[in-house]
Structures are given as C-alpha cells and as structure tokens.
Amino acid sequence: MPIYPSGIIASIITFGRFKAFINNPGNYDTLSGAVVSTFTGGCFFGAALAGWTNDKFGRKRTVQLGSLIALWGCAMQAGANNFACMLIGRIVAGFAIGILSMTVPLYNTEIAPPKIRGFVVGLAQQMIGIGFIVANWVGYGCQFLKNDVQWRLPLGLQLIPAFLLLVGAQWMPFSPRWLLEQGRDEEARAVVYSLHGVSTPEDKAHAEQEFIEMRENIKAEILVRSRSIRDLWATPAMTRRTLVAVGVQVFGQFSGINVLNYFGPTMYKSLGLNDSQSLLVQGIYGAVGPIANFIFITLILDTVGRKKPLMFGAASFVVTYSILSAIVATYPPETSTNHAAQRAGIAMIFMTTIFFSVSFGPVSWTLASEVFPTRTRSIGTSVATCANWAFNVLFSQVSNMAMNNIRWKYYVIFIILNAIDFVIIAFLFPETKGLTLEEMAKLFGDEVDTHDVLGQRHTEKAESDDKQELEHV
C-alpha cells in the first residue's frame, strides 16, 4: 500500500489527459512537481504524528488509522474535479503513507527474531518494489485510454490495497514490546510464544527466556526514561543513535532513487525516448529492483550485516551517476542520435536501482528502527522517517525543473553527496547485525545499564520490606 501512490504518479504526470486537466502548459513542470511534493509533504507530517499514535494506541491500531486516512485521500484524488481538490487529496494520502512508512518497519522490527530481523524488515522494501512494479505497468497500460479515465483509473486503484490493509490488520498481533509498556505482560508473553511457534519444551524455554529479557529491559527503561523528544539527544549514546537513524534515512534519499522513481519517464525522455517508450522502460525498470532486493534480504543481509552494504551502495552511486552525467553531457539528447549512448544511460539508471535494492533500500529501514531502545523507538523512528520525507519533498519539488534547466549537472550533486556518505558510514556507523534490540545498549555505550537499574530497584524494595517487617515486630 505505501508505495503504489508514490509510483503511479511518475506515469500520470506524463499523460496527455492529466496535462489537459491541469490546463496550464506554461507552468506544468512546476505544477506537476507540486503534485509530487505535496504528497511527500503530507508524508512528513504523517510520520511525525505516528510517533505519538504508536505510543498511545500501538503499532497495530496505527496501521489501521493510516489505512483509513489513505482511503479518504485516494478517493479525493480519483474523483477530483479541479486541481485544488487533487492537491488536497495528495496531501491527505501522503499523510496516511507517512504514518504507514514509519509504523510498518517499526512493527516488523519489534516482532522479528534477531537472526532474521534484516530479512523481515527488508520484506517491507520488497513490497515497496512490488508496489512500483504494479504502479508502473498500470501506468503503461492506462496511457492508451482516451479520456479522463486515463488518470482517474490508476488513482482509483489505490483504494484496493488501502482497504485490504485496513481489514487484514485486524489479524495482526500487537507488538509484545508495546504490550509490556502498557503493563499487559501476559498478553505480551502469549504473543512471543505465538511468534516463536512454540511446539516443544525447548521452544517454550527459548521463548520464555526472550520474553523475560525483553520484559526486564523494558521495565527498566520505564524507570529512567520519558517520552520526550529531548531524550533523543539527552546522552551521547542517544545522540549517536539518533544521528545514525536520521543519517541512514537521509543518505537513502541522497541515492537519488526517488528522483528515478518519480521522474523516471522524464529522465528517459532526456535520453532521447518518446513518451510511450519511456513508460515501457519505466515498467521494466520497476521489476529489476525487487528481484535484486529479494536475493539480498534472503541470502545476504543477515550474514554481512548493515554497514558493508551501505558503503557498497554509496560507492556504487558515485560510479553510476558519474557515468550517467558524462553520457548526457557528451551526447546531448536534443542533438545526438547515438543510440548506444542512450542505452548506456538507461543501463546506469537500471544499475542504480539494483545497487539501491542491495544497500539503502532494505538496510535504511532496518537500521533506523533497530538502534533505539523501546521507550524511544517510536519517537526516534518517527524523527528518522520525517527526515527521509523532508528530503524527499526537496528532491521531488526541484528535480523536474533541474533536469530541464541544468540537465546533466544535476547528477553531479548526487556524486558529491554519495562520496560524503561513504566516508561518514565508514567511520561513524556501527554494525548491528545479530544483536537483540535489548543488546543495542552495550553497542552504543548507554550510560544506564537496565539490568543494574532493575537490580537496584529490587534491592530497594527488599530493604523497604525488611524495614517494614522490623517496624511491625
């Protein structure tokens, strides 16, 4: 659900009937950019709200809330009778997607066993890729329709996954860590047992051990932490967690992947393809990433960890954007008919999505949600996701104009950004592979040991009980 509304707009803004609906040829680049950026702006505010709703109502109810709001926004877009209504619908739908984009990886992180957490959270990126495949091919097919159904139908199809998610979420278990925060310990134990698929005494013992460790750490965190956003930089350890989570989300945007996703057809036109050819190539492009992502999260992510794939991705983007900018600069599409150069440029775009799918795509969501302790995981993931959407808004608003005005020089920006990313990741990012969420405290050097806090609490309680007993005697 979260990605189809993002993916379908790349096709819609190329449709002749949608251009006629906007009816402002002189400002179409600006207005089409607004259609994209208002959506991503709504995502920013949705992700911000989700930090509160996840703590107040839980991960499951927040997913249902996002689905309900998505139905409203998608219906407004499909039925829009003017451009203002379209923009409001995009904002509302974006608000819903912001909620879901923050909540889904958070929920997956909290229910996944440490050994396969990368795979489970990475599945969200897999579904994002599938959403883009569906969006791209729906867009390709709808270009042949001759009236406003050309753009209303693909926008109306957004209602289907939103409805399915709203209904299907009812069968999702609550996050056991959220249940423990609410004092619903027995429900949390039942969820942990269910997630472990307890069938033997050994399974039960392992599940009980994980539950006890989870409960002890969360109860200790409750004693020493609040829900204030200031906690994200209250200590050096928390500041590092926050910078890593925000950094990996922002660096994911510096990959330029959403520029390719939103404005892919425009980029292909800059390489000399016509509208129909651009949509066809965009459809093929959308299928490449999910294949690479599935292989990566299944066989590699939980083996090699988080840091190495991120470094590989940043280095790869420097190479692909360098080649792409050189091709467009050397063989300007408006004057050159060098088809080999066009094919090489398209190949670099395809390689970029492959490299993203085996690096920032799955890793950014995994790392951003797993580095925080339970008490700040919701607000921390919210802040990191907001940072993602903030830069998404920036790129979605300026990219169309930049590609039309400064052309190949726009790609140089991504070369520089990814070179900087590589250095920061290499020297400042930790490796979190295989650690439980409760073991992150040791990795980041938290000043408060949760086990010590619990031990102190138990000692104080025992001393108090002894004192009361002596007074009674």
Side-chain angles (χ1 to χ4, degrees), residues 42-90:
C43 291
F44 174 89
F45 291 104
L49 175 70
W52 178 78
T53 59
N54 272 282
D55 281 338
K56 182 69 175 179
F57 305 112
R59 291 40 165 160
K60 175 178 175 176
R61 298 303 181 209
T62 301
V63 167
Q64 292 177 310
L65 173 65
S67 303
L68 189 62
I69 297 174
L71 287 171
W72 174 25
C74 295
M76 287 188 67
Q77 293 175 65
N81 57 3
N82 56 56
F83 187 61
C85 184
M86 170 63 67
L87 288 184
I88 294 172
R90 292 289 291 173

Side-chain angles (χ1 to χ4, degrees), residues 181-431:
E181 283 193 303
Q182 309 308 307
R184 296 158 63 175
D185 293 19
E186 290 308 312
E187 291 181 63
R189 176 183 273 112
V191 171
V192 172
Y193 279 30
S194 175
L195 293 174
H196 275 268
V198 173
S199 59
T200 66
E202 290 77 12
D203 291 339
K204 184 176 181 180
H206 183 66
E208 183 65 21
Q209 181 181 357
E210 180 176 322
F211 170 74
I212 291 173
E213 181 181 357
M214 187 187 303
R215 181 179 61 187
E216 287 182 352
N217 279 272
I218 291 173
K219 298 302 183 184
E221 288 173 6
I222 291 174
L223 295 176
V224 298
R225 298 186 189 276
S226 69
R227 295 188 187 276
S228 171
I229 193 172
R230 291 190 298 271
D231 285 337
L232 296 181
W233 56 84
T235 66
M238 282 304 303
T239 300
R240 188 186 179 201
R241 292 175 191 260
T242 303
L243 291 176
V244 168
V246 171
V248 75
Q249 288 288 314
V250 172
F251 294 168
Q253 288 299 318
F254 288 172
S255 71
I257 192 64
N258 281 324
V259 176
L260 304 181
N261 291 335
Y262 297 152
F263 301 106
T266 302
M267 296 181 72
Y268 298 132
K269 288 172 64 177
S270 75
L271 291 168
L273 278 66
N274 61 36
D275 285 347
S276 182
Q277 290 172 330
S278 297
L279 289 175
L280 176 60
V281 173
Q282 181 76 354
I284 300 171
Y285 157 88
V288 172
I291 296 173
N293 182 83
F294 183 75
I295 295 172
F296 177 69
I297 64 174
T298 304
L299 303 176
I300 301 173
L301 177 56
D302 286 307
T303 301
V304 301
R306 319 314 190 216
K307 187 171 179 176
K308 291 178 182 178
L310 292 177
M311 293 171 61
F312 170 77
S316 299
F317 301 144
V318 171
V319 174
T320 56
Y321 281 112
S322 296
I323 297 174
L324 183 60
S325 60
I327 289 171
V328 178
T330 306
Y331 303 101
E334 63 274 11
T335 59
S336 174
T337 58
N338 190 318
H339 297 298
Q342 293 175 7
R343 288 192 292 269
I346 293 171
M348 288 304 101
I349 295 176
F350 274 56
M351 292 303 295
T352 299
T353 191
I354 292 174
F355 293 144
F356 179 82
S357 298
V358 299
S359 59
F360 286 91
V363 175
S364 62
W365 296 108
T366 304
L367 188 61
S369 57
E370 71 183 358
V371 296
F372 292 106
T374 300
R375 288 291 291 174
T376 55
R377 186 170 299 120
S378 180
I379 188 71
T381 305
S382 175
V383 168
T385 307
C386 283
N388 180 308
W389 287 114
F391 279 88
N392 198 322
V393 171
L394 173 64
F395 288 128
S396 62
Q397 182 61 45
V398 306
S399 291
N400 213 14
M401 293 181 288
M403 285 185 289
N404 287 328
N405 293 320
I406 63 175
R407 299 183 181 276
W408 64 269
K409 298 181 182 69
Y410 186 51
Y411 305 134
V412 176
I413 296 174
F414 296 102
I415 298 172
I416 297 171
L417 290 175
N418 282 285
I420 296 172
D421 296 351
F422 179 87
V423 175
I424 294 175
I425 293 167
F427 289 100
L428 300 179
F429 274 41
E431 179 54 70

